[in-house]
Amino acid sequence: MHKKGFIFDLDGVIVDTAKYHYLAWKHLADELGIPFSKEKNEQFKGVSRKRCLEILLEWGNLTVSQTQFDAWLAEKNEDYLRYIETMTAAEILPDVPRVLNYLKENDIPMALGSASKNARTILKKVGLIPYFTSIVDGTQVTKAKPDPEVFLIAARDLNVMPINCVVFEDALAGIEAANRAEMTSIGIGKKEILTEARFVFKDFTEIKLDFIKELAEL
Ligand code: B16
Ligand code: MG
């Protein structure tokens, strides 16, 4: 039997920080006079902060100096950090602890694989740091999802072969990254969107422990 490893994306899988990203981007977009909506925010999911700002400026047909770009990037993040400041364990998405606890009780190593540079801060706020053997975030990757880099670093840290890793992701780019790494991809969200995922669940309340047991080969 091969050792298994489980890798979790953060935003949209463990916590719903997308709503805070939305508020912070909306604030900046309003300031710049660029129309921004919840639908547009969907395109920012799983995408790095820098790339999100590039896209926003493209929508607004704005070309700016590097200094201005960096200032807006910092402004958005400061705004976002104010929202996550008050996060608690109550914001962990339903039934996520049930799955994490089951894996922990069975000594299955877990890693975080997130594009966010604030991942560690958020995990601390919601009290989930002790669950993860490895936390791979936006500060460690050079190539964004759909590149598999983030998940391959996580697999290496867990000392588990990529083919024996299971990835939970809410973004299409993340599912593609997991598939490119030859990992078992599990989509959290809509089947119509996450068409490339090996399995899709609306959220963790739909995931039975028997299914996790099978994946983990327990
Ligand atoms: P930050 P994930 C991603 O997190 C978010 O989905 C995405 O909307 C955000 O732009 C990105 O992190 C960067 O976040 O500004 O905190 O570095 O889904 O990969 O956990
Ligand atoms: Mg995500």
Side-chain angles (χ1 to χ4, degrees):
M1 193 180 82
H2 300 286
K3 198 176 119 196
K4 297 282 176 171
F6 280 58
I7 306 172
F8 296 81
D9 173 52
L10 179 64
D11 178 25
V13 170
I14 291 180
V15 285
D16 177 22
T17 34
K19 61 183 180 216
Y20 300 136
H21 280 298
Y22 167 72
L23 291 170
W25 283 123
K26 173 78 178 144
H27 190 217
L28 181 67
D30 285 352
E31 206 178 293
L32 306 185
I34 303 171
F36 189 67
S37 59
K38 288 205 169 137
E39 289 67 41
K40 285 201 159 153
N41 189 56
E42 285 299 307
Q43 295 180 50
F44 284 5
K45 288 191 175 170
V47 177
S48 77
R49 192 187 314 161
K50 185 169 163 279
R51 185 65 199 131
C52 290
L53 182 55
E54 284 168 2
I55 298 170
L56 185 70
L57 296 180
E58 277 163 30
W59 287 336
N61 280 318
L62 287 181
T63 313
V64 297
S65 68
Q66 189 61 47
T67 316
Q68 181 62 80
F69 185 92
D70 292 345
W72 283 337
L73 207 56
E75 186 184 321
K76 185 269 167 182
N77 195 48
E78 280 157 25
D79 209 9
Y80 177 67
L81 286 175
R82 276 193 286 275
Y83 288 110
I84 61 175
E85 180 59 36
T86 53
M87 278 184 90
T88 65
E91 291 195 53
I92 299 171
L93 289 168
D95 269 8
V96 167
R98 182 174 58 93
V99 173
L100 295 183
N101 282 324
Y102 179 77
L103 290 167
K104 197 170 165 56
E105 279 158 20
N106 286 284
D107 293 323
I108 300 291
M110 289 178 265
L112 192 89
S114 165
S116 174
K117 293 187 173 174
N118 298 302
R120 213 169 257 278
T121 308
I122 296 166
L123 282 184
K124 259 189 214 143
K125 290 272 170 207
V126 301
L128 291 180
I129 293 264
Y131 285 85
F132 298 99
T133 305
S134 163
I135 295 168
V136 187
D137 62 20
T139 65
Q140 292 157 70
V141 293
T142 53
K143 288 169 255 158
K145 299 167 189 175
D147 190 281
E149 185 186 23
V150 62
F151 297 140
L152 291 173
I153 296 174
R156 189 201 59 200
D157 286 355
L158 296 181
N159 201 17
V160 174
M161 277 161 61
I163 204 154
N164 292 319
C165 287
V166 177
V167 174
F168 293 84
E169 251 294 346
D170 70 312
L172 196 52
I175 293 294
E176 195 183 325
N179 290 344
R180 278 165 66 178
E182 298 193 321
M183 299 177 176
T184 303
S185 56
I186 307 203
I188 301 295
K190 295 199 172 105
K191 275 202 174 74
E192 313 84 79
I193 296 174
L194 305 171
T195 49
E196 304 296 314
R198 175 88 175 77
F199 303 96
V200 182
F201 297 96
K202 180 171 69 64
D203 57 32
F204 278 72
T205 65
E206 282 191 347
I207 303 179
K208 295 202 166 61
L209 290 184
D210 274 352
F211 173 72
I212 299 288
K213 189 176 174 186
E214 224 169 274
L215 284 175
E217 291 182 3
L218 287 166

Short mmCIF file of all heavy atoms in Angstrom, two decimals, residues 8-15 17-18 21-22 25 41-53 73 76-77 80-81 84 112-119 122 136-139 145 150-151 169-171 174, ligand 1:
data_model
loop_
_atom_site.label_atom_id
_atom_site.label_comp_id
_atom_site.label_asym_id
_atom_site.label_seq_id
_atom_site.Cartn_x
_atom_site.Cartn_y
_atom_site.Cartn_z
N PHE A 8 -5.06 20.71 0.65
CA PHE A 8 -6.25 21.57 0.63
C PHE A 8 -5.91 22.97 0.14
O PHE A 8 -4.94 23.58 0.60
CB PHE A 8 -6.83 21.69 2.05
CG PHE A 8 -7.34 20.39 2.60
CD1 PHE A 8 -6.46 19.47 3.16
CD2 PHE A 8 -8.69 20.08 2.54
CE1 PHE A 8 -6.92 18.26 3.66
CE2 PHE A 8 -9.15 18.87 3.04
CZ PHE A 8 -8.27 17.96 3.60
N ASP A 9 -6.73 23.48 -0.76
CA ASP A 9 -6.69 24.89 -1.10
C ASP A 9 -7.31 25.62 0.11
O ASP A 9 -7.96 24.99 0.94
CB ASP A 9 -7.54 25.09 -2.38
CG ASP A 9 -7.73 26.53 -2.74
OD1 ASP A 9 -6.73 27.25 -2.83
OD2 ASP A 9 -8.90 26.95 -2.94
N LEU A 10 -7.11 26.93 0.20
CA LEU A 10 -7.65 27.63 1.37
C LEU A 10 -8.96 28.36 1.06
O LEU A 10 -10.03 27.96 1.53
CB LEU A 10 -6.60 28.63 1.90
CG LEU A 10 -7.02 29.46 3.11
CD1 LEU A 10 -7.25 28.58 4.33
CD2 LEU A 10 -5.96 30.51 3.42
N ASP A 11 -8.85 29.41 0.24
CA ASP A 11 -10.01 30.24 -0.04
C ASP A 11 -11.03 29.48 -0.88
O ASP A 11 -10.72 29.04 -1.98
CB ASP A 11 -9.54 31.51 -0.77
CG ASP A 11 -10.70 32.41 -1.15
OD1 ASP A 11 -11.75 32.32 -0.49
OD2 ASP A 11 -10.56 33.18 -2.11
N GLY A 12 -12.23 29.30 -0.35
CA GLY A 12 -13.28 28.60 -1.08
C GLY A 12 -13.36 27.13 -0.74
O GLY A 12 -14.30 26.44 -1.15
N VAL A 13 -12.36 26.63 0.00
CA VAL A 13 -12.38 25.23 0.41
C VAL A 13 -12.47 25.14 1.94
O VAL A 13 -13.37 24.49 2.49
CB VAL A 13 -11.13 24.48 -0.12
CG1 VAL A 13 -11.01 23.09 0.50
CG2 VAL A 13 -11.20 24.35 -1.64
N ILE A 14 -11.55 25.82 2.62
CA ILE A 14 -11.53 25.77 4.09
C ILE A 14 -12.30 26.95 4.69
O ILE A 14 -13.01 26.81 5.69
CB ILE A 14 -10.06 25.73 4.58
CG1 ILE A 14 -9.46 24.37 4.20
CG2 ILE A 14 -9.97 25.98 6.09
CD1 ILE A 14 -8.03 24.17 4.62
N VAL A 15 -12.13 28.12 4.09
CA VAL A 15 -12.84 29.33 4.54
C VAL A 15 -13.35 30.10 3.33
O VAL A 15 -12.81 29.96 2.23
CB VAL A 15 -11.91 30.28 5.36
CG1 VAL A 15 -11.65 29.74 6.75
CG2 VAL A 15 -10.60 30.54 4.63
N THR A 17 -13.02 33.28 2.21
CA THR A 17 -12.41 34.61 2.24
C THR A 17 -12.68 35.36 0.93
O THR A 17 -12.39 36.55 0.84
CB THR A 17 -10.89 34.52 2.49
OG1 THR A 17 -10.40 33.34 1.87
CG2 THR A 17 -10.58 34.47 3.97
N ALA A 18 -13.29 34.66 -0.05
CA ALA A 18 -13.59 35.31 -1.34
C ALA A 18 -14.45 36.55 -1.11
O ALA A 18 -14.32 37.55 -1.82
CB ALA A 18 -14.30 34.34 -2.27
N HIS A 21 -12.08 39.30 -0.16
CA HIS A 21 -11.33 39.72 -1.35
C HIS A 21 -12.22 40.62 -2.20
O HIS A 21 -11.81 41.66 -2.68
CB HIS A 21 -10.89 38.51 -2.19
CG HIS A 21 -9.68 37.80 -1.69
ND1 HIS A 21 -8.44 38.39 -1.60
CD2 HIS A 21 -9.51 36.52 -1.26
CE1 HIS A 21 -7.57 37.52 -1.14
NE2 HIS A 21 -8.18 36.38 -0.92
N TYR A 22 -13.48 40.18 -2.35
CA TYR A 22 -14.43 40.96 -3.17
C TYR A 22 -14.57 42.38 -2.62
O TYR A 22 -14.47 43.36 -3.37
CB TYR A 22 -15.80 40.27 -3.23
CG TYR A 22 -16.88 41.18 -3.78
CD1 TYR A 22 -16.90 41.52 -5.14
CD2 TYR A 22 -17.84 41.76 -2.94
CE1 TYR A 22 -17.83 42.41 -5.64
CE2 TYR A 22 -18.78 42.64 -3.44
CZ TYR A 22 -18.77 42.97 -4.78
OH TYR A 22 -19.69 43.85 -5.28
N TRP A 25 -11.38 44.43 -3.27
CA TRP A 25 -11.22 44.78 -4.71
C TRP A 25 -12.27 45.80 -5.14
O TRP A 25 -12.00 46.71 -5.90
CB TRP A 25 -11.32 43.53 -5.60
CG TRP A 25 -10.08 42.68 -5.62
CD1 TRP A 25 -10.00 41.36 -5.30
CD2 TRP A 25 -8.75 43.08 -5.98
NE1 TRP A 25 -8.71 40.91 -5.44
CE2 TRP A 25 -7.92 41.94 -5.85
CE3 TRP A 25 -8.18 44.28 -6.40
CZ2 TRP A 25 -6.55 41.98 -6.12
CZ3 TRP A 25 -6.81 44.32 -6.67
CH2 TRP A 25 -6.02 43.18 -6.53
N ASN A 41 -15.69 39.08 -9.78
CA ASN A 41 -14.82 38.57 -8.70
C ASN A 41 -14.55 37.07 -8.86
O ASN A 41 -13.54 36.55 -8.43
CB ASN A 41 -15.48 38.86 -7.34
CG ASN A 41 -14.55 38.57 -6.18
OD1 ASN A 41 -13.44 39.10 -6.10
ND2 ASN A 41 -14.98 37.69 -5.29
N GLU A 42 -15.50 36.37 -9.52
CA GLU A 42 -15.33 34.92 -9.77
C GLU A 42 -14.01 34.66 -10.51
O GLU A 42 -13.34 33.68 -10.28
CB GLU A 42 -16.49 34.37 -10.60
CG GLU A 42 -17.78 34.21 -9.84
CD GLU A 42 -17.66 33.23 -8.68
OE1 GLU A 42 -17.21 32.10 -8.91
OE2 GLU A 42 -17.99 33.62 -7.54
N GLN A 43 -13.67 35.58 -11.41
CA GLN A 43 -12.46 35.41 -12.22
C GLN A 43 -11.18 35.63 -11.41
O GLN A 43 -10.09 35.36 -11.89
CB GLN A 43 -12.49 36.39 -13.40
CG GLN A 43 -13.62 36.08 -14.36
CD GLN A 43 -13.64 37.04 -15.53
OE1 GLN A 43 -12.63 37.27 -16.18
NE2 GLN A 43 -14.80 37.59 -15.82
N PHE A 44 -11.32 36.12 -10.18
CA PHE A 44 -10.16 36.36 -9.33
C PHE A 44 -9.85 35.17 -8.41
O PHE A 44 -8.84 35.15 -7.73
CB PHE A 44 -10.39 37.61 -8.46
CG PHE A 44 -10.22 38.91 -9.21
CD1 PHE A 44 -10.00 38.93 -10.58
CD2 PHE A 44 -10.27 40.12 -8.55
CE1 PHE A 44 -9.84 40.13 -11.27
CE2 PHE A 44 -10.11 41.33 -9.23
CZ PHE A 44 -9.89 41.33 -10.59
N LYS A 45 -10.77 34.20 -8.39
CA LYS A 45 -10.59 33.06 -7.49
C LYS A 45 -9.38 32.22 -7.87
O LYS A 45 -9.25 31.81 -9.02
CB LYS A 45 -11.85 32.20 -7.44
CG LYS A 45 -12.97 32.90 -6.69
CD LYS A 45 -14.14 31.98 -6.41
CE LYS A 45 -15.15 32.71 -5.55
NZ LYS A 45 -16.41 31.98 -5.43
N GLY A 46 -8.50 32.00 -6.91
CA GLY A 46 -7.31 31.18 -7.14
C GLY A 46 -6.21 31.92 -7.90
O GLY A 46 -5.14 31.36 -8.15
N VAL A 47 -6.48 33.17 -8.28
CA VAL A 47 -5.53 33.97 -9.06
C VAL A 47 -4.70 34.85 -8.12
O VAL A 47 -5.24 35.39 -7.15
CB VAL A 47 -6.32 34.84 -10.08
CG1 VAL A 47 -5.40 35.76 -10.87
CG2 VAL A 47 -7.13 33.95 -11.02
N SER A 48 -3.41 35.01 -8.38
CA SER A 48 -2.55 35.78 -7.48
C SER A 48 -2.99 37.25 -7.40
O SER A 48 -3.61 37.77 -8.32
CB SER A 48 -1.10 35.72 -7.95
OG SER A 48 -0.92 36.58 -9.05
N ARG A 49 -2.63 37.89 -6.29
CA ARG A 49 -3.00 39.29 -6.06
C ARG A 49 -2.54 40.18 -7.22
O ARG A 49 -3.29 41.00 -7.73
CB ARG A 49 -2.38 39.75 -4.74
CG ARG A 49 -2.93 41.07 -4.24
CD ARG A 49 -2.13 41.52 -3.03
NE ARG A 49 -1.95 40.43 -2.08
CZ ARG A 49 -1.00 40.43 -1.13
NH1 ARG A 49 -0.19 41.44 -1.01
NH2 ARG A 49 -0.88 39.40 -0.31
N LYS A 50 -1.28 39.99 -7.61
CA LYS A 50 -0.69 40.81 -8.67
C LYS A 50 -1.47 40.65 -9.98
O LYS A 50 -1.80 41.61 -10.64
CB LYS A 50 0.77 40.37 -8.84
CG LYS A 50 1.57 41.16 -9.80
CD LYS A 50 3.05 40.78 -9.65
CE LYS A 50 3.85 41.23 -10.84
NZ LYS A 50 3.74 40.33 -12.00
N ARG A 51 -1.76 39.39 -10.30
CA ARG A 51 -2.48 39.12 -11.56
C ARG A 51 -3.90 39.71 -11.50
O ARG A 51 -4.41 40.21 -12.50
CB ARG A 51 -2.50 37.60 -11.82
CG ARG A 51 -3.12 37.19 -13.13
CD ARG A 51 -2.34 37.69 -14.35
NE ARG A 51 -3.18 37.66 -15.55
CZ ARG A 51 -3.32 38.66 -16.41
NH1 ARG A 51 -2.65 39.78 -16.25
NH2 ARG A 51 -4.11 38.54 -17.44
N CYS A 52 -4.53 39.65 -10.32
CA CYS A 52 -5.87 40.23 -10.17
C CYS A 52 -5.85 41.71 -10.49
O CYS A 52 -6.71 42.21 -11.21
CB CYS A 52 -6.40 40.04 -8.73
SG CYS A 52 -6.79 38.35 -8.29
N LEU A 53 -4.84 42.43 -9.97
CA LEU A 53 -4.76 43.87 -10.23
C LEU A 53 -4.50 44.13 -11.72
O LEU A 53 -5.09 45.04 -12.31
CB LEU A 53 -3.69 44.54 -9.35
CG LEU A 53 -3.57 46.06 -9.51
CD1 LEU A 53 -4.91 46.77 -9.28
CD2 LEU A 53 -2.51 46.64 -8.57
N LEU A 73 -1.69 47.80 -5.05
CA LEU A 73 -1.61 46.41 -4.58
C LEU A 73 -1.57 46.38 -3.05
O LEU A 73 -2.26 45.60 -2.40
CB LEU A 73 -0.34 45.77 -5.16
CG LEU A 73 -0.30 44.27 -5.37
CD1 LEU A 73 -1.44 43.81 -6.25
CD2 LEU A 73 1.03 43.86 -5.99
N LYS A 76 -4.99 47.47 -1.54
CA LYS A 76 -5.98 46.38 -1.55
C LYS A 76 -5.68 45.39 -0.42
O LYS A 76 -6.58 44.96 0.29
CB LYS A 76 -5.96 45.67 -2.92
CG LYS A 76 -7.02 44.59 -3.07
CD LYS A 76 -6.53 43.23 -2.64
CE LYS A 76 -7.66 42.24 -2.48
NZ LYS A 76 -7.17 40.94 -2.03
N ASN A 77 -4.42 45.07 -0.25
CA ASN A 77 -4.09 44.07 0.77
C ASN A 77 -4.33 44.60 2.19
O ASN A 77 -4.83 43.86 3.04
CB ASN A 77 -2.64 43.60 0.62
CG ASN A 77 -2.38 42.33 1.41
OD1 ASN A 77 -3.17 41.38 1.31
ND2 ASN A 77 -1.35 42.32 2.22
N TYR A 80 -7.94 44.28 2.79
CA TYR A 80 -8.27 42.86 2.98
C TYR A 80 -7.87 42.39 4.37
O TYR A 80 -8.62 41.69 5.05
CB TYR A 80 -7.57 42.04 1.89
CG TYR A 80 -7.75 40.55 2.00
CD1 TYR A 80 -9.00 39.96 1.81
CD2 TYR A 80 -6.66 39.72 2.29
CE1 TYR A 80 -9.17 38.59 1.90
CE2 TYR A 80 -6.82 38.34 2.39
CZ TYR A 80 -8.07 37.79 2.19
OH TYR A 80 -8.23 36.43 2.30
N LEU A 81 -6.67 42.81 4.80
CA LEU A 81 -6.18 42.40 6.12
C LEU A 81 -7.08 42.91 7.24
O LEU A 81 -7.23 42.25 8.27
CB LEU A 81 -4.74 42.89 6.35
CG LEU A 81 -3.66 42.14 5.58
CD1 LEU A 81 -2.30 42.79 5.78
CD2 LEU A 81 -3.59 40.68 6.01
N ILE A 84 -9.84 40.32 7.52
CA ILE A 84 -9.49 39.01 8.10
C ILE A 84 -9.03 39.12 9.55
O ILE A 84 -8.98 38.11 10.25
CB ILE A 84 -8.49 38.20 7.23
CG1 ILE A 84 -7.17 38.92 7.05
CG2 ILE A 84 -9.09 37.84 5.90
CD1 ILE A 84 -6.16 38.05 6.30
N LEU A 112 -1.37 22.46 3.03
CA LEU A 112 -2.17 23.51 2.44
C LEU A 112 -1.48 23.92 1.14
O LEU A 112 -0.25 24.02 1.10
CB LEU A 112 -2.27 24.72 3.38
CG LEU A 112 -3.32 25.74 2.94
CD1 LEU A 112 -4.67 25.36 3.56
CD2 LEU A 112 -2.95 27.15 3.32
N GLY A 113 -2.25 24.15 0.09
CA GLY A 113 -1.68 24.59 -1.19
C GLY A 113 -2.49 25.78 -1.70
O GLY A 113 -3.49 25.61 -2.37
N SER A 114 -2.06 26.98 -1.31
CA SER A 114 -2.85 28.18 -1.61
C SER A 114 -2.05 29.23 -2.36
O SER A 114 -0.84 29.34 -2.19
CB SER A 114 -3.35 28.77 -0.28
OG SER A 114 -3.83 30.08 -0.46
N ALA A 115 -2.76 30.01 -3.17
CA ALA A 115 -2.12 31.12 -3.90
C ALA A 115 -1.95 32.34 -3.00
O ALA A 115 -1.26 33.29 -3.35
CB ALA A 115 -2.97 31.49 -5.10
N SER A 116 -2.59 32.31 -1.84
CA SER A 116 -2.60 33.51 -0.98
C SER A 116 -1.32 33.69 -0.17
O SER A 116 -0.82 32.75 0.43
CB SER A 116 -3.78 33.43 -0.01
OG SER A 116 -3.72 34.49 0.90
N LYS A 117 -0.85 34.94 -0.16
CA LYS A 117 0.32 35.26 0.67
C LYS A 117 -0.12 35.46 2.12
O LYS A 117 0.72 35.63 3.00
CB LYS A 117 0.98 36.53 0.13
CG LYS A 117 1.60 36.34 -1.24
CD LYS A 117 2.39 37.54 -1.69
CE LYS A 117 3.12 37.18 -2.98
NZ LYS A 117 3.80 38.28 -3.60
N ASN A 118 -1.41 35.48 2.36
CA ASN A 118 -1.94 35.66 3.72
C ASN A 118 -2.43 34.34 4.31
O ASN A 118 -3.09 34.34 5.36
CB ASN A 118 -3.11 36.65 3.69
CG ASN A 118 -2.68 38.03 3.21
OD1 ASN A 118 -1.79 38.64 3.80
ND2 ASN A 118 -3.27 38.53 2.14
N ALA A 119 -2.11 33.22 3.67
CA ALA A 119 -2.66 31.93 4.10
C ALA A 119 -2.33 31.59 5.56
O ALA A 119 -3.20 31.17 6.32
CB ALA A 119 -2.15 30.83 3.18
N ILE A 122 -4.37 33.59 8.03
CA ILE A 122 -5.77 33.14 8.10
C ILE A 122 -5.87 31.82 8.87
O ILE A 122 -6.73 31.67 9.73
CB ILE A 122 -6.36 33.00 6.66
CG1 ILE A 122 -6.40 34.38 6.00
CG2 ILE A 122 -7.74 32.36 6.69
CD1 ILE A 122 -6.63 34.37 4.50
N VAL A 136 2.01 25.50 2.06
CA VAL A 136 2.62 26.09 0.88
C VAL A 136 1.69 27.22 0.42
O VAL A 136 0.51 26.99 0.16
CB VAL A 136 2.82 25.05 -0.25
CG1 VAL A 136 3.63 25.66 -1.39
CG2 VAL A 136 3.51 23.81 0.28
N ASP A 137 2.23 28.44 0.37
CA ASP A 137 1.38 29.58 0.04
C ASP A 137 2.01 30.44 -1.06
O ASP A 137 3.05 30.09 -1.62
CB ASP A 137 1.10 30.41 1.31
CG ASP A 137 2.36 30.99 1.92
OD1 ASP A 137 3.38 31.09 1.20
OD2 ASP A 137 2.34 31.37 3.10
N GLY A 138 1.38 31.57 -1.30
CA GLY A 138 1.81 32.46 -2.39
C GLY A 138 3.20 33.05 -2.21
O GLY A 138 3.75 33.62 -3.15
N THR A 139 3.77 32.91 -1.01
CA THR A 139 5.12 33.44 -0.80
C THR A 139 6.17 32.46 -1.31
O THR A 139 7.34 32.80 -1.45
CB THR A 139 5.41 33.74 0.69
OG1 THR A 139 5.38 32.49 1.40
CG2 THR A 139 4.39 34.69 1.29
N LYS A 145 -1.13 28.67 -10.18
CA LYS A 145 -2.06 27.69 -10.72
C LYS A 145 -2.60 28.28 -12.03
O LYS A 145 -2.82 29.48 -12.08
CB LYS A 145 -3.24 27.48 -9.76
CG LYS A 145 -2.85 26.96 -8.37
CD LYS A 145 -4.04 27.09 -7.41
CE LYS A 145 -3.62 26.78 -5.98
NZ LYS A 145 -4.68 27.01 -4.99
N VAL A 150 2.68 24.58 -6.86
CA VAL A 150 2.24 24.66 -5.45
C VAL A 150 1.93 23.27 -4.87
O VAL A 150 2.32 22.95 -3.74
CB VAL A 150 1.04 25.64 -5.30
CG1 VAL A 150 -0.17 25.19 -6.08
CG2 VAL A 150 0.66 25.85 -3.83
N PHE A 151 1.27 22.43 -5.66
CA PHE A 151 0.90 21.10 -5.16
C PHE A 151 2.10 20.15 -5.16
O PHE A 151 2.20 19.26 -4.31
CB PHE A 151 -0.25 20.52 -5.98
CG PHE A 151 -1.52 21.34 -5.87
CD1 PHE A 151 -2.33 21.57 -6.97
CD2 PHE A 151 -1.90 21.89 -4.65
CE1 PHE A 151 -3.49 22.33 -6.87
CE2 PHE A 151 -3.05 22.65 -4.52
CZ PHE A 151 -3.85 22.88 -5.64
N GLU A 169 -10.06 21.55 -4.22
CA GLU A 169 -9.94 22.86 -4.87
C GLU A 169 -11.30 23.41 -5.29
O GLU A 169 -12.17 22.64 -5.70
CB GLU A 169 -9.11 22.70 -6.16
CG GLU A 169 -7.75 23.29 -6.15
CD GLU A 169 -7.68 24.80 -6.05
OE1 GLU A 169 -8.68 25.49 -6.24
OE2 GLU A 169 -6.58 25.30 -5.76
N ASP A 170 -11.44 24.73 -5.22
CA ASP A 170 -12.70 25.34 -5.69
C ASP A 170 -12.53 26.08 -7.02
O ASP A 170 -13.52 26.47 -7.62
CB ASP A 170 -13.25 26.33 -4.65
CG ASP A 170 -12.40 27.58 -4.55
OD1 ASP A 170 -11.16 27.44 -4.44
OD2 ASP A 170 -12.95 28.69 -4.60
N ALA A 171 -11.27 26.28 -7.44
CA ALA A 171 -11.05 27.04 -8.68
C ALA A 171 -10.66 26.11 -9.82
O ALA A 171 -9.94 25.13 -9.63
CB ALA A 171 -9.94 28.07 -8.47
N GLY A 174 -7.07 25.60 -10.22
CA GLY A 174 -6.52 24.71 -9.19
C GLY A 174 -6.75 23.24 -9.54
O GLY A 174 -5.90 22.38 -9.31
P1 B16 B 1 -3.61 37.20 -1.34
P2 B16 B 1 -6.57 30.25 -2.71
C1 B16 B 1 -6.39 32.80 -3.50
O1 B16 B 1 -6.48 31.85 -2.47
C2 B16 B 1 -7.73 33.47 -3.73
O2 B16 B 1 -8.67 32.55 -4.22
C3 B16 B 1 -7.59 34.59 -4.72
O3 B16 B 1 -8.82 35.24 -4.90
C4 B16 B 1 -6.54 35.59 -4.22
O4 B16 B 1 -6.35 36.63 -5.13
C5 B16 B 1 -5.22 34.82 -3.99
O5 B16 B 1 -5.43 33.77 -3.07
C6 B16 B 1 -4.13 35.74 -3.47
O6 B16 B 1 -4.44 36.12 -2.17
O7 B16 B 1 -3.95 38.55 -1.87
O8 B16 B 1 -4.09 36.97 0.08
O9 B16 B 1 -2.14 36.86 -1.50
O10 B16 B 1 -7.93 29.99 -3.27
O11 B16 B 1 -5.44 29.82 -3.63
O12 B16 B 1 -6.41 29.72 -1.30
#
